[in-house]
Amino acid sequence: MLAIQLLVTDENLTVQGDPLADWTQLDATLRFNEPGSGSVDLTAHPYVMAQLQPGHRLVVIRDGDIWMAGPMEIPQDFSWGVGQGGEAPPGKVTVNFADDLARPAGYLTWPDTASAWSAQPDTAYQLTSTNAEVIIRTLVNLNCGPGALAARQIPNFVLATLAGVGTTTSVNTRFEGLLATCRRVAIDGGGLGFRTRQTATQIEFEVYQPADLTATARFSEGLGNLRAVTYKRSAPTVTHALVTGSDQATPRAYVEVADTAAAAAWWRVEQLVNGTADDDTNGELTQDGTEALAGGAAPVELATVTVDTEDLRAGRDYSLGDKVTVALPTGLEVADLVRSIHLQATPDSGEYVSSLVGSPEATSDPQMVRLVRELGRRLGRLEAR
């Protein structure tokens, strides 16, 4: 029997009515350090339509646990018609929703989070030589959490217990996307992950350290849990990040961050990087170079489609950001991160859970995603100068 239940709550997490019945198709994808998203098709009963209101949330419960929960971005996409090709009365409604990480994704990093918009200074917000988890939690807390201005606080949004993970790093930011800044700190601060979790009364923002499960979480054709794979080994797009500080600083700072192993295996590839700080006193320019190397110095691109089996299940045996092993049919074994976990279900055919394992370039529409992020970051840097 399919163990999936759909509930609707308001922003205070109060359930709005009976569970949503007569759904025909559910599609929900969790993403590493990104907001998840999904859709569900429902019969448009009056009690269903009454719950699908602006500001409400959809909660997907699988096997008694919350799989995904968050705001409805399109609460009502309704269709009805008479005759061939039409949706029989009372019609069909499709709901598009995100997980709760979509809420902080809509915020920018203010340089002075305690002041009104009209009183923002010309300087950037800085935290130097601080634990990466603490930096991420501080950015979220001061911009949209309990420590933010009242008008910017997300209702019932709190910080989970400190996990004690990550390494020391710094941040320099001004009017960048909040989650884009958090991702930058997470990469430089030990490859951290962050997510939201719904409890009975609150939405908790949590930072965590993904696990190395390469010895226990294995995917292969022989194990029956590997359905498709594409693998490409190519030259790096950057081995030497040449970072410049602000052109208004005297003297102007120049920092080189290199992946000498990649350069030795392939060849030298230089990339100019506009830094986020005047100098590298607190390591911000080095961090910018490290991020550039992370985005361009991975010569292995791996994209797989894995499926749940009784021996290895997503959410139970591995989770987002964990490093797992994929045994290719060629005999090569590659270890990489779980980038997304996809749940598809219908009442008739049951559920199908697959995972995407691979490099960042393996995710959907990567060029456009990277372009939008880079443009946003550059605009933020210009504002900081």
Side-chain angles (χ1 to χ4, degrees):
M1 183 177 180
L2 195 61
I4 290 180
Q5 187 180 50
L6 305 177
L7 298 176
V8 174
T9 78
D10 61 14
E11 65 177 11
N12 294 318
L13 311 189
T14 302
V15 177
Q16 294 302 288
D18 293 334
L20 302 180
D22 293 339
W23 56 274
T24 57
Q25 182 168 319
L26 172 68
D27 193 298
T29 302
L30 299 168
R31 296 182 176 87
F32 180 54
N33 289 356
E34 300 264 10
S37 62
S39 65
V40 61
D41 294 338
L42 302 133
T43 301
H45 298 297
Y47 87 93
V48 171
M49 302 301 289
Q51 295 185 48
L52 306 181
Q53 301 300 321
H56 284 182
R57 303 166 62 256
L58 186 70
V59 182
V60 178
I61 300 174
R62 179 192 182 217
D63 296 331
D65 296 321
I66 295 178
W67 173 267
M68 180 185 294
M72 300 182 199
E73 297 181 317
I74 303 178
Q76 296 187 16
D77 185 355
F78 174 77
S79 60
W80 173 89
V82 177
Q84 186 176 4
E87 293 293 341
K92 182 186 79 171
V93 62
T94 299
V95 177
N96 289 282
F97 59 98
D99 70 15
D100 286 309
L101 202 58
R103 294 292 300 271
Y107 284 73
L108 301 178
T109 56
W110 287 20
D112 184 353
T113 56
S115 298
W117 172 251
S118 58
Q120 291 301 303
D122 294 332
T123 55
Y125 179 83
Q126 288 184 303
L127 275 177
T128 60
S129 300
T130 304
N131 172 264
E133 180 190 7
V134 172
I135 292 178
I136 294 171
R137 289 166 57 92
T138 301
L139 288 169
V140 170
N141 180 48
L142 295 182
N143 283 283
C144 65
L149 292 174
R152 302 186 74 204
Q153 292 180 13
I154 298 173
N156 305 297
F157 188 84
V158 298
L159 300 180
T161 303
L162 189 73
V165 296
T167 59
T168 299
T169 185
S170 301
V171 70
N172 183 306
T173 182
R174 175 183 170 86
F175 302 145
E176 290 183 87
L178 175 58
L179 291 194
T181 307
C182 290
R183 280 190 292 269
R184 174 153 54 92
V185 175
I187 290 172
D188 194 60
L192 300 180
F194 50 84
R195 59 196 171 199
T196 53
R197 292 183 181 272
Q198 177 183 325
T199 67
T201 58
Q202 295 175 318
I203 299 167
E204 293 186 345
F205 177 85
E206 176 184 40
V207 181
Y208 67 100
Q209 180 69 65
D212 185 345
L213 303 178
T214 51
T216 58
R218 297 176 58 84
F219 298 91
S220 71
E221 182 183 12
L223 293 172
N225 55 14
L226 182 62
R227 293 294 177 86
V229 61
T230 60
Y231 170 81
K232 179 170 68 174
R233 186 173 184 131
S234 56
T237 58
V238 54
T239 63
H240 289 70
L242 307 180
V243 189
T244 62
S246 171
D247 57 4
Q248 299 179 11
T250 304
R252 190 173 188 181
Y254 296 89
V255 173
E256 179 179 313
V257 184
D259 184 342
T260 54
W266 296 87
W267 47 77
R268 182 184 179 106
V269 185
E270 298 178 345
Q271 178 179 312
L272 182 65
V273 179
N274 294 318
T276 56
D278 290 339
D279 55 50
D280 202 38
T281 301
N282 298 305
E284 289 102 325
L285 299 185
T286 297
Q287 181 189 89
D288 294 328
T290 301
E291 184 184 19
L293 291 181
V300 173
E301 296 180 23
L302 174 71
T304 72
V305 176
T306 70
V307 293
D308 269 7
T309 64
E310 288 300 321
D311 295 327
L312 192 61
R313 288 173 60 87
R316 184 192 71 186
D317 302 308
Y318 67 93
S319 190
L320 292 171
D322 290 343
K323 181 177 284 189
V324 299
T325 297
V326 178
L328 305 182
T330 61
L332 179 68
E333 291 192 352
V334 180
D336 218 320
L337 305 186
V338 178
R339 298 289 174 180
S340 65
I341 301 175
H342 187 194
L343 168 65
Q344 295 173 295
T346 67
D348 296 330
S349 61
E351 63 180 33
Y352 178 83
V353 179
S354 61
S355 299
L356 177 73
V357 179
S359 59
E361 291 76 11
T363 58
S364 61
D365 201 13
Q367 292 182 338
M368 181 58 71
V369 171
R370 289 199 300 268
L371 177 60
V372 170
R373 287 180 183 167
E374 181 61 21
L375 287 175
R377 186 177 173 193
R378 287 181 182 180
L379 289 172
R381 289 173 176 174
L382 290 174
E383 285 290 340
R385 296 180 176 180

